[in-house]
Every structure is written in structure tokens, then in C-alpha cells.
């Protein structure tokens, strides 16, 4: 029985590491996007992201952003080229996010 215990524990540890690494990666990605939006808006206020959806096989991200106390607006961010569109009328947003149901 203990011959089975070692591989099971190893698999569980590996799965935990993979899931944990993915969570850290997503958090860093969100921080980069928030910083890029704040820079574009020329503000030092915190930018909150919501309703995130991956598009283009995970290379793009559509969602909403808001400054504290402000209205929400839509954005598109390409995770490789770091291109950012802050308006749902922008061609980059329309090309990548328009087909998402909101």
C-alpha cells in the first residue's frame, strides 16, 4: 500500500504547484493591465478590473475597468504586444471583443 502512497502524493504536490503558479501568473497579468490603464489615463488611482474574458486563444483579454467611485468602461489588452484599447468604439476592441455577450 505504501508503494502507491508516494506517487499519489507526488501527483498531488505537482498539481498544487501548477495551480498555484497559474494563480500567481494571472494576478501579475492583472496588475500589468491595471498599471497600463492607469498610465494611459494619467492617474495614480487604483484601477479595478472586472468581467475578464480571454479571447484570441488566450493572447487577448476583454473586460471592464473602473476608477474608484467612477463609472465602468470597457477595454481590450493584448498580452503579447501589450496593445491596449480603452473604448468599446476603438477598432482594436471591436475586432476582438464585440462578439462577446455582455
Amino acid at each position: 500500500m505504501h508503494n502507491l502512497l508516494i506517487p499519489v502524493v507526488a501527483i498531488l504536490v505537482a498539481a498544487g504547484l501548477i495551480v498555484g503558479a497559474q494563480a500567481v501568473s494571472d494576478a501579475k497579468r492583472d496588475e500589468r493591465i491595471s498599471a497600463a490603464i492607469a498610465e494611459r489615463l494619467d492617474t495614480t488611482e487604483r484601477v479595478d478590473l472586472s468581467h475578464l474574458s480571454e479571447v484570441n486563444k488566450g493572447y487577448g483579454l476583454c473586460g471592464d475597468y473602473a476608477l474608484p467611485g467612477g463609472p465602468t468602461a470597457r477595454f481590450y489588452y493584448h498580452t503579447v504586444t501589450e496593445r491596449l484599447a480603452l473604448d468599446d468604439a476603438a477598432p482594436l476592441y471591436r475586432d476582438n471583443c464585440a462578439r462577446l455577450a455582455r
Side-chain angles (χ1 to χ4, degrees):
M1 180 67 171
H2 91 284
N3 288 340
L4 183 60
L5 184 63
I6 293 173
V8 169
V9 169
I11 289 170
L12 291 175
V13 168
L17 291 173
I18 291 169
V19 170
Q22 183 64 37
V24 169
S25 175
D26 287 350
K28 287 182 180 181
R29 176 199 64 193
D30 294 353
E31 288 175 14
R32 278 196 317 273
I33 295 170
S34 293
I37 292 172
E39 182 179 336
R40 176 78 62 87
L41 297 175
D42 195 26
T43 184
T44 58
E45 291 187 83
R46 182 187 81 248
V47 176
D48 295 321
L49 305 179
S50 60
H51 304 107
L52 302 178
S53 298
E54 289 185 348
V55 295
N56 299 338
K57 299 179 183 176
Y59 291 110
L61 198 69
C62 299
D64 296 339
Y65 72 92
L67 297 173
T72 61
R74 296 194 172 142
F75 76 91
Y76 168 77
Y77 182 80
H78 193 279
T79 58
V80 176
T81 63
E82 298 181 352
R83 291 180 65 194
L84 177 65
L86 293 182
D87 184 8
D88 57 1
L92 191 60
Y93 180 90
R94 284 194 324 262
D95 291 346
N96 294 285
C97 304
R99 61 187 161 275
L100 295 175
R102 294 275 177 164

